[in-house]
Amino acid sequence: MAESTPEDGLSSPASMLSFPEGFRWGVATASHQYEGDNTNNNWYAWERAGRIVSGDSCGLAADWWAHAERDFDFAAQLDLNALRLSLEWSRIEPRPGEWDAQALARYRTMLQGLRERGIEPLVTLHHFTNPLWFEERGAFLASSCVELFARYVAHVVEALGDLCDFWCTINEPNIYAFTGYQLGVWPPGRKGATLDAIRVQGNMARAHAAAYATIHSRQPAARVGWAQNYNVFDAANPRSGRDRLLAGIMDAAFNDIFPRAVLTGKAVFPFSLAAGNLSAVRGTCDFVGINIYYRDLVTFDPRRPLEMFSRRSSAPGTPHGDTGAELVTGEVYPQGIARIARRVSAFGKPIYVTENGVADAHDRLRPWLLATATRAMHEAIADGIDLRGYYHWSLVDNFEWAEGWTLRFGLAALDIETQERTPRPSAALYGAIARANGLSAETLRDYIPEALV
Ligand code: BGC
């Protein structure tokens, strides 16, 4: 880990990185990873098919369907003023066109519970999970997804709109498409289906646009956006034209299909060949959500035609999260927040960091990550970028998709047998940041030296 220097502002006791009034300090969560007993969706089917590589079951997860309020109390104790949660479509519409009033009533109590604690909800309408009936109809590969998603969204806004006006339509369309249709390690398990991965993103963009219009027709003042995962790709050798070109191609293919559709109503060649007509997608966001975790260095390698002649690596000594059961991830790179925020400022809309975190059971990197993310955001805001909030992934340990319980992202550790929570040291740090609306000298003294070891 790099040492901080007096000049970088972090080790100077006199420095105080203050944030604008009203800045959102929150946490991000998702229904399947927290609620427990979601047995009517594609991820449950995936688990039953033995596809969770760790062999774990989601089970009760963090038991939010019964006891989310226990963790809302924890968020309130940390003085957080924001929380991102998702709605489980498979609970709300268990069969096509059938609506579960009890499920909606439970979400009402959750949203009320957050508001009573002074925590503003940001509600995600789709976070990776599909109802089984929707999956059977082809999910986001079938063009019917646009109408079906908009119908669900209309129902939700009518039932919950008095408690929420801040909506994230779709979480990480690029990760959903890449893992499900390119790598094949997530449902529906299609490997190397590159054209379908692009089609899915085109359909998701149209479904997002339909949801945007649906919400605004019922709630004109709503703030509606989506959350894009940005993986930073840099040339391993910045002097190599081939490395730079490849890093740019990987960036365009992985990060940019959906955002470009929202920005311009088009896809660039060659993605335009499969993405379909995106003109209705243009301008459909009131904010941009950015999820930032990793950076990869890219090297040209003629021996790897199947990986676009590229090799991905990290520089020696860079921070890495815990090793999961299968997925190999890059350098943990909260510094990317400033770079990506600058890039998405092209939308001319408010920006929220809708996720950032690290798999770190022993909290060896999380304090450093929180401090570094805070510094990166401060830098972006000082540059005039309209960054309005940070949602740390995550509040307590969550069921981590195909990695099961092997990766621990929580500010609090979760014992899945007893449901006992044990806050990690970084919870206190994050609470101090939220309370001070910035990174104070005292916080720096208490946490940064250990974090930098
Ligand atoms: C996803 C979360 C996931 C997190 C950590 C994000 O890509 O939105 O659901 O838990 O990364 O891997």
PDB file of all heavy atoms in Angstrom, residues 226-241:
ATOM      1  N   TRP A 226     -30.145   5.384 -13.272  1.00  0.00           N
ATOM      2  CA  TRP A 226     -29.799   3.965 -13.184  1.00  0.00           C
ATOM      3  C   TRP A 226     -28.393   3.879 -12.582  1.00  0.00           C
ATOM      4  O   TRP A 226     -27.750   4.915 -12.353  1.00  0.00           O
ATOM      5  CB  TRP A 226     -29.885   3.300 -14.564  1.00  0.00           C
ATOM      6  CG  TRP A 226     -28.620   3.347 -15.363  1.00  0.00           C
ATOM      7  CD1 TRP A 226     -27.756   2.332 -15.606  1.00  0.00           C
ATOM      8  CD2 TRP A 226     -28.057   4.502 -16.027  1.00  0.00           C
ATOM      9  NE1 TRP A 226     -26.689   2.768 -16.368  1.00  0.00           N
ATOM     10  CE2 TRP A 226     -26.856   4.091 -16.642  1.00  0.00           C
ATOM     11  CE3 TRP A 226     -28.437   5.846 -16.149  1.00  0.00           C
ATOM     12  CZ2 TRP A 226     -26.039   4.976 -17.364  1.00  0.00           C
ATOM     13  CZ3 TRP A 226     -27.626   6.724 -16.872  1.00  0.00           C
ATOM     14  CH2 TRP A 226     -26.449   6.274 -17.469  1.00  0.00           C
ATOM     15  N   ALA A 227     -27.923   2.670 -12.272  1.00  0.00           N
ATOM     16  CA  ALA A 227     -26.584   2.517 -11.690  1.00  0.00           C
ATOM     17  C   ALA A 227     -25.710   1.740 -12.667  1.00  0.00           C
ATOM     18  O   ALA A 227     -26.020   0.598 -13.023  1.00  0.00           O
ATOM     19  CB  ALA A 227     -26.668   1.782 -10.355  1.00  0.00           C
ATOM     20  N   GLN A 228     -24.633   2.369 -13.113  1.00  0.00           N
ATOM     21  CA  GLN A 228     -23.721   1.746 -14.066  1.00  0.00           C
ATOM     22  C   GLN A 228     -22.457   1.301 -13.353  1.00  0.00           C
ATOM     23  O   GLN A 228     -21.879   2.067 -12.581  1.00  0.00           O
ATOM     24  CB  GLN A 228     -23.360   2.767 -15.165  1.00  0.00           C
ATOM     25  CG  GLN A 228     -22.448   2.237 -16.245  1.00  0.00           C
ATOM     26  CD  GLN A 228     -23.148   1.266 -17.193  1.00  0.00           C
ATOM     27  OE1 GLN A 228     -24.386   1.151 -17.195  1.00  0.00           O
ATOM     28  NE2 GLN A 228     -22.377   0.573 -18.001  1.00  0.00           N
ATOM     29  N   ASN A 229     -22.038   0.059 -13.596  1.00  0.00           N
ATOM     30  CA  ASN A 229     -20.750  -0.380 -13.071  1.00  0.00           C
ATOM     31  C   ASN A 229     -19.660   0.106 -14.019  1.00  0.00           C
ATOM     32  O   ASN A 229     -19.724  -0.133 -15.230  1.00  0.00           O
ATOM     33  CB  ASN A 229     -20.724  -1.914 -12.982  1.00  0.00           C
ATOM     34  CG  ASN A 229     -19.405  -2.423 -12.423  1.00  0.00           C
ATOM     35  OD1 ASN A 229     -18.381  -2.362 -13.097  1.00  0.00           O
ATOM     36  ND2 ASN A 229     -19.413  -2.907 -11.204  1.00  0.00           N
ATOM     37  N   TYR A 230     -18.691   0.808 -13.470  1.00  0.00           N
ATOM     38  CA  TYR A 230     -17.525   1.233 -14.264  1.00  0.00           C
ATOM     39  C   TYR A 230     -16.287   0.517 -13.752  1.00  0.00           C
ATOM     40  O   TYR A 230     -15.893   0.694 -12.595  1.00  0.00           O
ATOM     41  CB  TYR A 230     -17.307   2.746 -14.154  1.00  0.00           C
ATOM     42  CG  TYR A 230     -18.222   3.557 -15.031  1.00  0.00           C
ATOM     43  CD1 TYR A 230     -19.422   4.044 -14.547  1.00  0.00           C
ATOM     44  CD2 TYR A 230     -17.887   3.822 -16.350  1.00  0.00           C
ATOM     45  CE1 TYR A 230     -20.275   4.786 -15.360  1.00  0.00           C
ATOM     46  CE2 TYR A 230     -18.724   4.563 -17.170  1.00  0.00           C
ATOM     47  CZ  TYR A 230     -19.912   5.039 -16.669  1.00  0.00           C
ATOM     48  OH  TYR A 230     -20.745   5.768 -17.468  1.00  0.00           O
ATOM     49  N   ASN A 231     -15.704  -0.320 -14.613  1.00  0.00           N
ATOM     50  CA  ASN A 231     -14.411  -0.913 -14.307  1.00  0.00           C
ATOM     51  C   ASN A 231     -13.385  -0.028 -15.011  1.00  0.00           C
ATOM     52  O   ASN A 231     -13.549   0.267 -16.198  1.00  0.00           O
ATOM     53  CB  ASN A 231     -14.361  -2.339 -14.872  1.00  0.00           C
ATOM     54  CG  ASN A 231     -13.192  -3.134 -14.337  1.00  0.00           C
ATOM     55  OD1 ASN A 231     -13.253  -3.675 -13.250  1.00  0.00           O
ATOM     56  ND2 ASN A 231     -12.106  -3.191 -15.103  1.00  0.00           N
ATOM     57  N   VAL A 232     -12.360   0.412 -14.286  1.00  0.00           N
ATOM     58  CA  VAL A 232     -11.367   1.278 -14.933  1.00  0.00           C
ATOM     59  C   VAL A 232     -10.357   0.397 -15.671  1.00  0.00           C
ATOM     60  O   VAL A 232      -9.828  -0.563 -15.101  1.00  0.00           O
ATOM     61  CB  VAL A 232     -10.659   2.179 -13.895  1.00  0.00           C
ATOM     62  CG1 VAL A 232      -9.541   2.986 -14.550  1.00  0.00           C
ATOM     63  CG2 VAL A 232     -11.677   3.099 -13.209  1.00  0.00           C
ATOM     64  N   PHE A 233     -10.134   0.682 -16.949  1.00  0.00           N
ATOM     65  CA  PHE A 233      -9.120  -0.025 -17.749  1.00  0.00           C
ATOM     66  C   PHE A 233      -8.031   0.975 -18.112  1.00  0.00           C
ATOM     67  O   PHE A 233      -8.303   1.980 -18.762  1.00  0.00           O
ATOM     68  CB  PHE A 233      -9.734  -0.557 -19.054  1.00  0.00           C
ATOM     69  CG  PHE A 233     -10.801  -1.596 -18.851  1.00  0.00           C
ATOM     70  CD1 PHE A 233     -12.148  -1.250 -18.921  1.00  0.00           C
ATOM     71  CD2 PHE A 233     -10.471  -2.920 -18.606  1.00  0.00           C
ATOM     72  CE1 PHE A 233     -13.148  -2.206 -18.740  1.00  0.00           C
ATOM     73  CE2 PHE A 233     -11.463  -3.889 -18.423  1.00  0.00           C
ATOM     74  CZ  PHE A 233     -12.798  -3.533 -18.486  1.00  0.00           C
ATOM     75  N   ASP A 234      -6.804   0.693 -17.694  1.00  0.00           N
ATOM     76  CA  ASP A 234      -5.678   1.549 -18.078  1.00  0.00           C
ATOM     77  C   ASP A 234      -4.665   0.717 -18.847  1.00  0.00           C
ATOM     78  O   ASP A 234      -4.524  -0.494 -18.599  1.00  0.00           O
ATOM     79  CB  ASP A 234      -5.002   2.132 -16.829  1.00  0.00           C
ATOM     80  CG  ASP A 234      -5.746   3.331 -16.262  1.00  0.00           C
ATOM     81  OD1 ASP A 234      -6.456   4.005 -17.043  1.00  0.00           O
ATOM     82  OD2 ASP A 234      -5.632   3.593 -15.049  1.00  0.00           O
ATOM     83  N   ALA A 235      -3.938   1.368 -19.760  1.00  0.00           N
ATOM     84  CA  ALA A 235      -2.871   0.672 -20.483  1.00  0.00           C
ATOM     85  C   ALA A 235      -1.794   0.259 -19.488  1.00  0.00           C
ATOM     86  O   ALA A 235      -1.360   1.066 -18.662  1.00  0.00           O
ATOM     87  CB  ALA A 235      -2.285   1.599 -21.532  1.00  0.00           C
ATOM     88  N   ALA A 236      -1.366  -1.022 -19.542  1.00  0.00           N
ATOM     89  CA  ALA A 236      -0.304  -1.472 -18.637  1.00  0.00           C
ATOM     90  C   ALA A 236       0.957  -0.647 -18.897  1.00  0.00           C
ATOM     91  O   ALA A 236       1.643  -0.230 -17.974  1.00  0.00           O
ATOM     92  CB  ALA A 236      -0.033  -2.957 -18.838  1.00  0.00           C
ATOM     93  N   ASN A 237       1.228  -0.422 -20.159  1.00  0.00           N
ATOM     94  CA  ASN A 237       2.355   0.437 -20.528  1.00  0.00           C
ATOM     95  C   ASN A 237       1.789   1.664 -21.244  1.00  0.00           C
ATOM     96  O   ASN A 237       1.410   1.588 -22.415  1.00  0.00           O
ATOM     97  CB  ASN A 237       3.302  -0.344 -21.453  1.00  0.00           C
ATOM     98  CG  ASN A 237       4.421   0.541 -21.972  1.00  0.00           C
ATOM     99  OD1 ASN A 237       4.514   1.728 -21.610  1.00  0.00           O
ATOM    100  ND2 ASN A 237       5.259  -0.025 -22.826  1.00  0.00           N
ATOM    101  N   PRO A 238       1.724   2.792 -20.543  1.00  0.00           N
ATOM    102  CA  PRO A 238       1.077   3.967 -21.136  1.00  0.00           C
ATOM    103  C   PRO A 238       1.773   4.446 -22.414  1.00  0.00           C
ATOM    104  O   PRO A 238       1.182   5.173 -23.211  1.00  0.00           O
ATOM    105  CB  PRO A 238       1.168   5.032 -20.042  1.00  0.00           C
ATOM    106  CG  PRO A 238       1.574   4.315 -18.793  1.00  0.00           C
ATOM    107  CD  PRO A 238       2.221   3.023 -19.198  1.00  0.00           C
ATOM    108  N   ARG A 239       3.028   4.009 -22.629  1.00  0.00           N
ATOM    109  CA  ARG A 239       3.727   4.424 -23.857  1.00  0.00           C
ATOM    110  C   ARG A 239       3.411   3.510 -25.040  1.00  0.00           C
ATOM    111  O   ARG A 239       3.792   3.782 -26.162  1.00  0.00           O
ATOM    112  CB  ARG A 239       5.241   4.476 -23.617  1.00  0.00           C
ATOM    113  CG  ARG A 239       5.652   5.664 -22.755  1.00  0.00           C
ATOM    114  CD  ARG A 239       7.163   5.783 -22.678  1.00  0.00           C
ATOM    115  NE  ARG A 239       7.774   4.535 -22.182  1.00  0.00           N
ATOM    116  CZ  ARG A 239       7.864   4.205 -20.903  1.00  0.00           C
ATOM    117  NH1 ARG A 239       7.417   5.025 -19.970  1.00  0.00           N
ATOM    118  NH2 ARG A 239       8.418   3.070 -20.533  1.00  0.00           N
ATOM    119  N   SER A 240       2.719   2.387 -24.757  1.00  0.00           N
ATOM    120  CA  SER A 240       2.395   1.467 -25.842  1.00  0.00           C
ATOM    121  C   SER A 240       1.049   1.844 -26.469  1.00  0.00           C
ATOM    122  O   SER A 240       0.000   1.815 -25.817  1.00  0.00           O
ATOM    123  CB  SER A 240       2.332   0.031 -25.290  1.00  0.00           C
ATOM    124  OG  SER A 240       1.504  -0.754 -26.129  1.00  0.00           O
ATOM    125  N   GLY A 241       1.100   2.167 -27.751  1.00  0.00           N
ATOM    126  CA  GLY A 241      -0.127   2.523 -28.477  1.00  0.00           C
ATOM    127  C   GLY A 241      -1.102   1.352 -28.480  1.00  0.00           C
ATOM    128  O   GLY A 241      -2.315   1.538 -28.373  1.00  0.00           O
TER     129      GLY A 241
END
